[in-house]
Every structure is written in structure tokens, then in C-alpha cells.
């Protein structure tokens, strides 16, 4: 068994930016992506933001021969946008939708309606059990005042926990997707340190593409240049992460990104750059010893930092809940006052100059609308508070366990 030849896996990852009626040149780019996948013959293609199931079906029809196995993950109002094409049989799938994902009233962002999630596929490749994860986290719309940072940290924590608890029977773990986090952000550090996943860009033996591995670059004609002004080279938010378990070791032989346009074409695949990793999977001579008892001291600091961000989000959510509750009470009091005025007119206590009926009805309607909206938002922010409290408690217990292990070492 020790002389088994190494397995080479070519993995393609791309945020396709395929929003029907909104994304520029969507149909042309979907066709271009399909042509490239068909010609290149990757082992796995991990795609995000394929929001239209029709686009997925078109890709599936085009790619039936080179990728006989595929899966489209459905969630949320308009879908998760996640799909995977594989040369190898998909044995099982599972979808976990993140508990927090923005706000329904932030219509200009729309993340809440997308049902951001992580999809798991169990694939057996040449006798090696691979657990493949594809995901897309909440976007960062303003780095200086990032109102969604606590939600993204919660998503990173849930992603890390999901991988940790579902990968125990795997030989190889592979994660690809648009994580919407810079390499030094607390969320990506938490994900990597908690799961032990390795970054293909940091560990590759050969790299070709945009400087610093950036996947959102000014050279791309679809990117918003104003958003990238603080980052002249661009930003790296799309990742391929991996690790080997038990009898297997994985390394990244090469990593390639596109550089603004698709190779040999005049337009890009998307507003994001495509990432292609060539991974080498080798069998160990001896099984890897369990690292369950080993704790990196830096992990405690990362979890502490993440817990702090969750607390900040918790305070903000509690404030929003209080404001909406107060607004609902004021609207209810106004309705009660109007009801009392209406009853007084029925029993003959009319004033010489009664309140104008049209204004009275309009005010009642306004108060009713405010009451209903405030109650709905109060319930929504109560759910948000509960989720943040739950995550903060999980992190507290995790920190306690880590500190106990460190003290016993």
C-alpha cells in the first residue's frame, strides 16, 4: 500500500456572479465557464452565485460527458447559489444553512434572501474518501464600518464546527468558496486554526496569477473600482483549503488564478477571479497520530478575538430589539388612544369640533403599520440575539476546554 502512486486532484473554484437580469453578460459568461470546464477536464468544479437553476441546468447539460456527477444546493428565497461538478461519483450530500445571514430589510444587499450555506459532498476518488465542502459567506460591504462582521464571524464558527463534526470519517477534507474575508481577518484565522485546514495559496510550491493571490482585482472590468481604492492590488477572498487525515497527506503542487480576463478571451468569467489548485494526495507510511490533545496557544487568542466580535454584535442586536420594542409600544398606545376617542364619540361625548375623519383614519392606518413592522422586527432581532448568545456560549465553553488542555500540558 505504501507504494501506491500519489493521486492528483485538479480543483476549480469560482464565484460566478450570475444574478438573473442584474449581472452583466451573464449568459455569455455562463457559456464561457461551461466551455472552459469542458475543455480543461478538472476533477472538481466548485461554483458559487449560480442563482438561477436554469443556468445550472444549462451547465449540467453541457458538462454531462466530462462531469457525469453534479449537485445543486437549494436554500433560502432565491437559492444558495452553490453547485458542484465532479468526475467521480457523489455518494452523499448535505446542506447546512447559517443561522445568521444579514437583515431582510437591507434590500440593497440581499444576502438574507440568498440563504447562505455550506454544502457537503462525500466523494470516493480512487478508494480515497473525500469530504468536499463548498460555501459562500456574507459579503463585506464596508470594511471601515462593517455591520455584518459579527454575522460573518458566526458563519465562520459554524462552518468550522460543521467541518470538524462531519469530517471524522474522511481521508481528505477540501473546502472551496467565496469566504468574503481577507487572509488576516479573524474569521479566516478562526476557521483555519480550529479545523487545521491549510491555505493552498500560502502552501503552494508554484503560483501563477494575480499578485498576492488576489481574486477581486481592479483589472477586472466588472469590479467596482471605488470599493477597491484602499487596495490597489485587489483583495483575496476566494479560497481553496484542504487537509489530509489519518493515512493521507495532501500538498498543493500549483495554484493558478485568472488575471482580469478569461484566458484567450476579452471578458472575464466573473467579477471574481477563478482559482485552480492542483493537489497531490499521498498515503502515509504510518497513520497520523491523533492531534486531539494538542492545542496551539494562538488558538485561544483567536477564539477570544472572535468571541469579542460576537459580543459587539450581541450588544448591537439588543439595542435594535429594544428600539423596535419601544416603537411597537408607542404605536400600540397611539392606537389605544384613538380607540378611546372613537368610543367617546359613540356614547355622545363628541366635542364641538370633532377630529377630522380622514386624518383620524390615516393616523390609525399609520399606527397599525408601524406596530406590525415593529413587532416583526422585534421578533427578528430577538432571534438574532438568541443566536449570538448561543454562539458566544459555545465559544466560552470551547475556550474553557482549550485552557484546561493547555494547563494540563
Amino acid at each position: 500500500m505504501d507504494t501506491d502512486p500519489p493521486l492528483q486532484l485538479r480543483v476549480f473554484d469560482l464565484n460566478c456572479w450570475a444574478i438573473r437580469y442584474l449581472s452583466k453578460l451573464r449568459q455569455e459568461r455562463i457559456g464561457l465557464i461551461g466551455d472552459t470546464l469542458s475543455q480543461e477536464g478538472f476533477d472538481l468544479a466548485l461554483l458559487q452565485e449560480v442563482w438561477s437553476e436554469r443556468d445550472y441546468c444549462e451547465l449540467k447539460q453541457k458538462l454531462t460527458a466530462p462531469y457525469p456527477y453534479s449537485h445543486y444546493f437549494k436554500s433560502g428565497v432565491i437559492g444558495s447559489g452553490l453547485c458542484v461538478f465532479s468526475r467521480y461519483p457523489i455518494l452523499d450530500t448535505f446542506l447546512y444553512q447559517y443561522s445568521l445571514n444579514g437583515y431582510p430589510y437591507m434590500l440593497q444587499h440581499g444576502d438574507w434572501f440568498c440563504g447562505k450555506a455550506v454544502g457537503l459532498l462525500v466523494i470516493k476518488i480512487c478508494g480515497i474518501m473525500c469530504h468536499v465542502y463548498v460555501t459562500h459567506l456574507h459579503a463585506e460591504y464596508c470594511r471601515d464600518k462593517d455591520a455584518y462582521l459579527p454575522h460573518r464571524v458566526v458563519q465562520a464558527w459554524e462552518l468550522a464546527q460543521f467541518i470538524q463534526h462531519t469530517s471524522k470519517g474522511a481521508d481528505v477534507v477540501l473546502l472551496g468558496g467565496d469566504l468574503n474575508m481577507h487572509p488576516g481577518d479573524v474569521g479566516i484565522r478562526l476557521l483555519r486554526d480550529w479545523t487545521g485546514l491549510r491555505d493552498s495559496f500560502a502552501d503552494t510550491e508554484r503560483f501563477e496569477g494575480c499578485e498576492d493571490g488576489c481574486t477581486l482585482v481592479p483589472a477586472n472590468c466588472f469590479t467596482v473600482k471605488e470599493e477597491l481604492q484602499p487596495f490597489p492590488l485587489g483583495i483575496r477572498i476566494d479560497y481553496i483549503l484542504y487537509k489530509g487525515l489519518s493515512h493521507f497527506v495532501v500538498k498543493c503542487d500549483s495554484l493558478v488564478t485568472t488575471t482580469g480576463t478569461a484566458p484567450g478571451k476579452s471578458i472575464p468569467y466573473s467579477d471574481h477571479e477563478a482559482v485552480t489548485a492542483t493537489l497531490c494526495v499521498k498515503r502515509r507510511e504510518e497513520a497520523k497520530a491523533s492531534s486531539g490533545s494538542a492545542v496551539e496557544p494562538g488558538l485561544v487568542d483567536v477564539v477570544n478575538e472572535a468571541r469579542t466580535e460576537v459580543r459587539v454584535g450581541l450588544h448591537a442586536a439588543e439595542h435594535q430589539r429594544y428600539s423596535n420594542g419601544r416603537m411597537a409600544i408607542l404605536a400600540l398606545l397611539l392606537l389605544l388612544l384613538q380607540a378611546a376617542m372613537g368610543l367617546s364619540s359613540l356614547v355622545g361625548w363628541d366635542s364641538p369640533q370633532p377630529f377630522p375623519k380622514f386624518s383620524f383614519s390615516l393616523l390609525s392606518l399609520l399606527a397599525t403599520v408601524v406596530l406590525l413592522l415593529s413587532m416583526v422586527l422585534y421578533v427578528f432581532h430577538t432571534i438574532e440575539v438568541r443566536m449570538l448568545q448561543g454562539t458566544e456560549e459555545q465559544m466560552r465553553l470551547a475556550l474553557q476546554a482549550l485552557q484546561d488542555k493547555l494547563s494540563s500540558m
Side-chain angles (χ1 to χ4, degrees):
M1 295 294 291
D2 296 342
T3 58
D4 288 348
L7 170 68
Q8 257 201 354
L9 283 178
R10 295 185 69 222
V11 183
F12 178 89
D13 176 81
L14 176 66
N15 178 323
C16 298
W17 188 50
I19 309 171
R20 292 190 73 183
Y21 313 117
L22 295 178
S23 298
K24 298 176 182 178
L25 302 177
R26 176 184 60 84
Q27 291 179 312
E28 293 88 338
R29 292 187 293 102
I30 288 293
L32 180 58
I33 292 169
D35 292 339
T36 299
L37 292 179
S38 180
Q39 295 164 9
E40 291 292 332
F42 300 104
D43 295 296
L44 290 168
L46 312 178
L47 306 181
Q48 306 93 51
E49 287 205 20
V50 183
W51 299 117
S52 169
E53 197 165 351
R54 184 182 299 176
D55 288 340
Y56 164 73
C57 291
E58 289 179 6
L59 285 171
K60 183 178 180 180
Q61 185 176 4
K62 178 178 288 189
L63 300 174
T64 299
Y67 304 92
Y69 309 97
S70 63
H71 187 75
Y72 185 77
F73 292 98
K74 302 177 183 180
S75 72
V77 178
I78 64 173
S80 69
L82 306 175
C83 62
V84 175
F85 293 89
S86 171
R87 287 180 53 202
Y88 301 95
I90 297 173
L91 306 181
D92 198 7
T93 64
F94 187 78
L95 180 77
Y96 174 78
Q97 188 169 338
Y98 298 122
S99 61
L100 292 177
N101 187 41
Y103 307 102
Y105 50 83
M106 299 297 286
L107 300 178
Q108 73 274 28
H109 295 157
D111 290 69
W112 186 85
F113 298 93
C114 302
K116 296 290 181 69
V118 51
L120 162 65
L121 302 99
V122 179
I123 303 175
K124 198 169 187 177
I125 304 176
C126 301
I128 300 173
M129 195 62 70
C130 299
H131 283 203
V132 179
Y133 301 85
V134 59
T135 192
H136 186 192
L137 302 192
H138 198 294
E140 177 189 81
Y141 293 99
C142 179
R143 191 159 182 83
D144 293 332
K145 296 179 180 179
D146 189 1
Y148 300 110
L149 178 57
H151 285 209
R152 203 159 48 253
V153 171
V154 170
Q155 289 179 349
W157 172 254
E158 291 179 350
L159 174 59
Q161 290 283 67
F162 183 74
I163 293 173
Q164 192 77 348
H165 290 293
T166 59
S167 64
K168 297 186 186 300
D171 297 319
V172 172
V173 175
L174 177 66
L175 168 65
D178 176 4
L179 302 183
N180 275 310
M181 295 183 288
H182 297 218
D185 287 355
V186 59
I188 192 70
R189 288 185 283 118
L190 176 68
L191 173 62
R192 289 189 57 192
D193 291 354
W194 189 261
T195 60
L197 291 170
R198 304 183 69 85
D199 184 355
S200 55
F201 173 75
D203 293 347
T204 186
E205 295 185 359
R206 181 176 63 86
F207 174 73
E208 181 182 339
C210 297
E211 193 169 347
D212 294 336
C214 293
T215 57
L216 212 59
V217 297
N220 188 306
C221 64
F222 294 134
T223 56
V224 181
K225 306 301 183 286
E226 292 77 12
E227 294 179 357
L228 292 176
Q229 279 184 351
F231 310 99
L233 298 178
I235 56 178
R236 182 162 75 96
I237 57 177
D238 300 270
Y239 297 83
I240 296 177
L241 307 176
Y242 60 87
K243 71 173 179 178
L245 297 171
S246 183
H247 294 275
F248 294 89
V249 60
V250 185
K251 68 174 184 176
C252 184
D253 286 343
S254 69
L255 186 75
V256 178
T257 70
T258 52
T259 55
T261 57
K265 304 294 181 180
S266 60
I267 61 171
Y269 294 125
S270 167
D271 59 343
H272 288 239
E273 301 307 312
V275 182
T276 304
T278 302
L279 305 178
C280 180
V281 182
K282 294 182 180 178
R283 183 178 288 272
R284 299 177 189 271
E285 293 184 3
E286 295 182 3
K288 182 180 179 181
S290 174
S291 57
S293 59
V295 177
E296 292 290 336
L299 180 57
V300 175
D301 297 331
V302 173
V303 177
N304 253 324
E305 187 178 348
R307 188 184 176 196
T308 299
E309 293 296 345
V310 171
R311 281 175 171 172
V312 170
L314 177 58
H315 293 323
E318 288 173 336
H319 176 73
Q320 287 288 343
R321 181 177 65 170
Y322 171 77
S323 298
N324 288 307
R326 183 176 57 182
M327 185 64 68
I329 291 172
L330 291 174
L332 180 60
L333 290 175
L334 180 57
L335 282 174
L336 291 175
L337 177 60
Q338 290 177 306
M341 293 172 62
L343 287 174
S344 68
S345 65
L346 288 177
V347 297
W349 295 348
D350 297 18
S351 59
Q353 295 178 341
F355 200 86
K357 290 184 178 180
F358 176 77
S359 300
F360 187 87
S361 302
L362 188 62
L363 189 60
S364 299
L365 177 62
L366 179 62
T368 302
V369 171
V370 170
L371 175 62
L372 291 175
L373 286 176
S374 298
M375 289 176 62
V376 169
L377 290 175
Y378 180 85
V379 171
F380 175 84
H381 286 293
T382 297
I383 295 172
E384 181 187 18
V385 166
R386 294 286 183 265
M387 293 301 178
L388 289 166
Q389 287 174 335
T391 302
E392 197 271 338
E393 177 64 13
Q394 292 171 27
M395 290 180 171
R396 185 190 67 80
L397 292 173
L399 278 170
Q400 184 177 338
L402 290 172
Q403 289 165 348
D404 288 345
K405 286 183 180 180
L406 281 174
S407 61
S408 63
M409 289 174 63

